[in-house]
Amino acid sequence: MTLRDSRGEPVSTSNPDLITALEAAHEELLHYRGDPVGMIDAVLSDHPDFVMGHVFKAAVLTQAMETRIYDAMLSAVRNAESLWSGANDRERGHIRAIRQWVDGDFYSAVEAWDAVLVDHPRDLLALQLAHLSDVLLGDTVNQRDRVARVLHAWDESVPGYNFVLGFHSFGLEECGDYGRAEEAGRRAVAMDPADSYSIHAVAHVLEMMGRQEGGIRWLTSRGEDWRHGNFANHLWWHLSLYHLDLCQYDRVFEIFDRNLQSDGVSHDKYEELDAAALLWRLKLLNVDVNGRWTRLADKWAPAAEDTLYAFNDVHAMMTFAADGRADLMAKVLDANERYVRSQGDSNVAMTREVGLPFCRAIAAFAKGDYDETVDLLHPIRHCTAKLGGSHAQRDVIHLTLIEAALRSGRFKLARALVSERTDLKPSSPQNWRLAGRAFAGCQDERRAAAAKAKAQALLLTGEVIREVA
């Protein structure tokens, strides 16, 4: 028998309580809180023939991108496949997508979820999975357009509409449509203040526009809505970026030590990613992090040879390079070099085109070979989206390239790259500091002085704004 969920989508069950339990678990997932997998496991222990329960569990696990969860994900999708004959077309579409994901064909998996959405545009799980997968794959256009293709079926009368607005907000931001992105994100948060993904989408807008003080106020004023959830570490990372741009390093370290410090126990890759990305930015600025790399490197060590997701590998490499772990650096490089000679999954191309060159560049940077770093990074600077993640996350590649250009004495290249940054984000003090160094290297003292003065003026303006606020 088929019943329908709160959005009118078909679910193969005759028990309405199962739909209620599934939607409760999905609500936790959408809010990045609690234990959605544990909740659905409790349901499945009593109802092992609940197709959509197995689908939901497997689907959630696809987004972890960690080898330690692979067996659980594989078991869940096999359980769903064993119930194929009793599944409806929508559920079979999910099963196809998850199977393709498990087999490493990420792009086909996303298209399978897209096919579900064509017939079931209110399938919020399919939309969420397709959208988050687009983020993992760096498909910025579909982060916007995949959501846009279902908007005709949604309005405020449909439960979960705020989440759809949040996905659309993030996609609009990644495509540079900051005004519409901010409007959609703020509207979503007004509808549901606990919607941390939409809070995050607006934080991205403010970061990309260089509205540091606004970003600090946005996140701190809504701290009670997000700081206790499963997405908190990433939002703390975003908050730290605003302070970093304003040269408020004491505040950055305070955030890191209280909220991003790896404890060696949680095995949360997203925590490790954010911690590595923040510390590497500080390293590029020549800010002493006082041994904070060591615990993080210990935590990354078991993943040195994973080659599951290139985005993870480059952050592991940053950590090992910064902590002087030559043996682990060699393991990352060797594993990736062997991996790109293999055939098959979508991550091979991501690793070959961006991940491995960046890992090699990090190794070169760590040993002081800044010329090699530039030679490795400059050719890939326009295709970094293939690594996955967001513009804000991938900016670390561009920052590493610029710093290497400055340290290698390739000041004209640095000047060109920094001119691009100051045009895109003229309110960034750090961008103008980089410009000052580049112009000084080119012996253009007038422009160097002007850039340094601009950076100082922006910092003073920020202080005035804080004092007034």
Side-chain angles (χ1 to χ4, degrees):
M1 182 176 177
T2 296
L3 298 178
R4 294 189 178 272
D5 65 17
S6 63
R7 286 170 284 273
E9 298 298 345
V11 182
S12 295
T13 182
S14 59
N15 186 345
D17 291 340
L18 294 184
I19 296 178
T20 299
L22 174 65
E23 293 196 328
H26 193 196
E27 189 80 7
E28 293 295 279
L29 178 67
L30 288 160
H31 280 106
Y32 288 89
R33 67 191 181 199
D35 181 12
V37 172
M39 291 173 69
I40 206 65
D41 274 340
V43 174
L44 291 171
S45 66
D46 293 328
H47 303 276
D49 59 347
F50 183 32
V51 180
M52 202 61 201
H54 292 292
V55 165
F56 177 80
K57 178 178 179 178
V60 174
L61 295 176
T62 63
Q63 300 302 300
M65 302 305 283
E66 296 185 55
T67 53
R68 67 187 178 89
I69 56 83
Y70 185 82
D71 288 344
M73 179 174 63
L74 186 59
S75 175
V77 73
R78 284 174 174 168
N79 287 335
E81 288 171 333
S82 71
L83 300 169
W84 180 272
S85 61
N88 61 42
D89 287 344
R90 172 200 171 213
E91 293 159 344
R92 289 178 178 180
H94 274 281
I95 295 169
R96 289 189 193 96
I98 297 165
R99 167 50 67 183
Q100 287 166 326
W101 187 277
V102 169
D103 290 344
D105 190 353
F106 303 150
Y107 295 98
S108 292
V110 176
E111 290 311 304
W113 275 312
D114 199 68
V116 172
L117 289 167
V118 169
D119 291 329
H120 302 277
R122 290 185 177 177
D123 187 331
L124 188 53
L125 180 62
L127 181 63
Q128 181 182 19
L129 294 168
H131 173 73
L132 295 179
S133 299
D134 285 333
V135 176
L136 288 171
L137 297 172
D139 187 347
T140 56
V141 172
N142 268 316
Q143 286 166 36
R144 176 194 63 196
D145 293 350
R146 203 179 305 281
V147 184
R149 289 196 286 274
V150 303
L151 287 177
H152 64 89
W154 290 84
D155 56 40
E156 291 187 9
S157 69
V158 184
Y161 180 47
N162 61 286
F163 300 113
V164 178
L165 288 176
F167 301 151
H168 198 218
S169 172
F170 186 82
L172 289 166
E173 176 274 318
E174 288 295 287
C175 290
D177 195 345
Y178 301 134
R180 292 178 64 210
E182 184 171 2
E183 179 183 4
R186 288 183 182 273
R187 183 182 175 194
V189 175
M191 294 170 64
D192 182 354
D195 181 355
S196 58
Y197 191 83
S198 297
I199 293 172
H200 155 262
V202 175
H204 268 272
V205 172
L206 301 174
E207 165 66 22
M208 297 305 292
M209 295 184 75
R211 292 161 57 187
Q212 301 91 345
E213 297 294 346
I216 291 168
R217 285 196 300 274
W218 171 251
L219 288 180
T220 55
S221 67
R222 297 191 170 276
E224 290 307 309
D225 294 323
W226 58 262
R227 72 176 68 228
H228 305 296
N230 302 332
F231 206 42
N233 67 284
H234 190 60
L235 289 170
W236 282 117
W237 178 78
H238 273 283
L239 182 60
S240 73
L241 291 190
Y242 302 130
H243 289 291
L244 189 67
D245 203 2
L246 295 173
C247 307
Q248 297 167 357
Y249 304 130
D250 288 347
R251 181 65 181 126
V252 173
F253 283 127
E254 180 184 343
I255 291 171
F256 182 88
D257 292 339
R258 290 186 178 180
N259 309 109
L260 293 178
Q261 181 73 283
S262 173
D263 59 14
V265 175
S266 68
H267 303 293
D268 183 347
K269 272 289 174 289
Y270 290 100
E271 175 189 296
E272 296 170 32
L273 289 165
D274 290 329
L278 180 58
L279 291 184
W280 186 260
R281 282 167 169 79
L282 288 165
K283 178 179 176 62
L284 295 176
L285 292 169
N286 239 0
V287 176
D288 185 1
V289 303
N290 294 320
R292 288 176 174 85
W293 283 111
T294 299
R295 184 185 291 182
L296 186 59
D298 289 342
K299 194 175 181 187
W300 270 111
E305 297 178 283
D306 274 3
T307 64
L308 178 68
Y309 182 40
F311 191 82
N312 290 0
D313 292 341
V314 300
H315 286 79
M317 192 67 173
M318 290 177 204
T319 308
F320 300 148
D323 201 48
R325 306 286 185 95
D327 56 333
L328 292 173
M329 290 167 63
K331 283 186 176 182
V332 174
L333 290 173
D334 182 63
N336 275 272
E337 286 164 356
R338 285 185 282 108
Y339 176 60
V340 297
R341 292 194 293 270
S342 67
Q343 297 180 359
D345 68 30
S346 303
N347 187 54
V348 169
M350 297 164 71
T351 301
R352 180 186 298 114
E353 295 176 37
V354 182
L356 183 53
F358 189 27
C359 283
R360 288 170 174 162
I362 292 167
F365 191 96
K367 66 182 181 182
D369 192 342
Y370 303 120
D371 268 317
E372 183 181 359
T373 304
V374 172
D375 291 341
L376 286 164
L377 291 184
H378 194 260
I380 66 170
R381 61 184 298 266
H382 292 301
C383 63
T384 59
K386 295 179 181 179
L387 186 65
S390 66
H391 289 303
Q393 290 174 307
R394 295 188 301 269
D395 193 40
V396 71
I397 300 176
H398 303 282
L399 290 168
T400 304
L401 170 59
I402 291 170
E403 187 60 32
L406 289 167
R407 295 190 188 188
S408 65
R410 295 164 76 164
F411 296 114
K412 290 182 179 178
L413 174 60
R415 180 179 61 187
L417 296 171
V418 174
S419 293
E420 180 181 78
R421 291 183 72 84
T422 54
D423 179 65
L424 289 171
K425 196 173 173 181
S427 57
S428 164
Q430 293 289 9
N431 281 350
W432 286 107
R433 283 189 165 190
L434 289 171
R437 292 171 61 196
F439 284 125
C442 292
Q443 299 183 340
D444 188 341
E445 297 302 332
R446 182 180 65 83
R447 287 190 172 86
K452 293 174 183 177
K454 179 72 171 178
Q456 188 61 30
L458 288 168
L459 291 172
L460 290 173
T461 300
E463 291 179 11
V464 171
I465 291 173
R466 288 192 297 279
E467 195 170 312
V468 171

